[in-house]
Amino acid sequence: MITRRNFCKKSLLLIGGMAVPLAALEIFNPGRLSAEKDDPAKVRWVFLVDTFKCVGCGFCVRACKLENEIPYDANVSRTWVERYVVTKDGQVHTDSPKAARDGFTSKSIDQASRGLLEIKDEDIDKAFFVPKLCNQCDNPPCVQVCPVGATYQTPDGVVLVDRTWCIGCGYCVMGCPYGVRFFHPVYKAAEKCNFCYHRISKGLKSACVEACPFGARRIGNIKDPEDPVTRIIMTERVAVLKEEYGTKPQVFYLGMSREVK
């Protein structure tokens, strides 16, 4: 017997011929998250991004580069901020010049080789900023595809990269559905955000969290029910990126807009 819920799901999939995975239609369920964390480990690091608070200043990007030996002027970064401008005709324009290292000092949308796009204020429906970083997946494809074990997962869930073991094959870069991987221009090894593991494992905040003047970035332990980040994730409406891929990302967003991919 078909239930009302199943009927609505099937109807949504058929409207307009959309081939949308069922997981993409699910609202994130904190109860399921709690069940997934039912293991003996006492710590599982998670990240919370509040898009309502992000102003695109770029302080987080600069702090990350300086903390993690990413050449300041290189066009690569462990974390970045995207600007979304949605016009009244429904078009979505996105840019992140220099990973937003210097913030967004111009209203013009940087289209890379296509130049700058000027959008009139009266044509804008909404605009917002979205910080992005490695999602520290519970089911990380980058770990699965690494042929030499240079990418591995710690007991508290953080995915790390051993630069001395990395052979530069690029499988992890291709395997990441979030596009967070790149090659370090100096070390010639795969690179990505690691939640500043050298800091959080000593009780410190990650560099980007410490640098954010507006509290848009927070890190916490999902195993601790009293952790402020855990409380928000469990009690407020949060979202994750590309849940339909089954990677179980551990970066959660407050105020996620449907235009964000």
Side-chain angles (χ1 to χ4, degrees):
M1 181 178 178
I2 188 168
T3 66
R4 184 175 185 275
R5 183 171 184 270
N6 287 336
F7 175 78
C8 291
K9 263 190 180 181
K10 292 179 183 295
S11 298
L12 283 172
L13 288 170
L14 291 173
I15 292 174
M18 294 186 297
V20 181
L22 290 182
L25 299 174
E26 296 282 0
I27 294 175
F28 180 76
N29 183 355
R32 189 184 69 200
L33 174 66
S34 181
E36 289 172 352
K37 304 305 176 193
D38 188 20
D39 60 64
K42 294 183 178 180
V43 178
R44 202 318 173 187
W45 297 107
V46 292
F47 207 91
L48 180 67
V49 176
D50 190 337
T51 60
F52 292 124
K53 294 180 178 179
C54 181
V55 300
C57 64
F59 289 179
C60 54
V61 179
R62 293 198 290 277
C64 176
K65 278 179 170 277
L66 294 172
E67 178 71 29
N68 295 293
E69 301 178 299
I70 308 299
Y72 195 71
D73 291 322
N75 195 29
V76 291
S77 182
R78 286 187 173 196
T79 186
W80 69 98
V81 180
E82 295 177 352
R83 170 172 56 179
Y84 285 76
V85 177
V86 183
T87 50
K88 292 177 181 177
D89 60 2
Q91 293 189 59
V92 181
H93 305 278
T94 310
D95 69 344
S96 182
K98 295 183 179 179
R101 183 198 71 188
D102 303 319
F104 295 86
T105 58
S106 170
K107 290 184 178 181
S108 302
I109 302 297
D110 189 340
Q111 302 180 108
S113 60
R114 292 182 295 161
L116 298 176
L117 175 65
E118 304 291 341
I119 301 177
K120 296 179 180 179
D121 290 348
E122 56 267 28
D123 293 333
I124 297 175
D125 181 43
K126 60 180 176 179
F128 52 90
F129 302 101
V130 179
K132 289 189 176 179
L133 62 160
C134 173
N135 284 267
Q136 302 299 347
C137 307
D138 253 1
N139 183 28
C142 58
V143 172
Q144 298 167 23
V145 300
C146 180
V148 295
T151 294
Y152 61 98
Q153 193 171 29
T154 64
D156 48 15
V158 179
V159 177
L160 303 179
V161 181
D162 188 330
R163 289 172 175 170
T164 63
W165 275 92
C166 180
I167 60 175
C169 65
Y171 288 170
C172 61
V173 178
M174 294 182 287
C176 175
Y178 301 99
V180 304
R181 291 260 187 170
F182 61 94
F183 283 107
H184 196 290
V186 176
Y187 294 104
K188 309 301 181 184
E191 186 74 30
K192 69 172 192 66
C193 162
N194 63 4
F195 280 4
C196 281
Y197 196 69
H198 59 290
R199 293 176 61 90
I200 61 175
S201 58
K202 296 178 181 178
L204 303 173
K205 296 178 181 178
S206 64
C208 65
V209 170
E210 193 168 77
C212 181
F214 304 103
R217 291 171 175 250
R218 301 174 71 177
I219 194 165
N221 175 17
I222 198 69
K223 291 301 198 64
D224 179 5
E226 300 304 316
D227 189 303
V229 171
T230 300
R231 287 184 174 181
I232 292 173
I233 291 173
M234 292 299 181
T235 60
E236 299 191 34
R237 186 168 182 172
V238 295
V240 294
L241 291 170
K242 301 180 180 180
E243 186 180 5
E244 65 271 20
Y245 282 89
T247 59
K248 299 179 181 178
Q250 301 302 295
V251 174
F252 302 92
Y253 287 85
L254 276 169
M256 177 75 78
S257 185
R258 62 183 176 80
E259 290 85 9
V260 179
K261 305 298 182 183

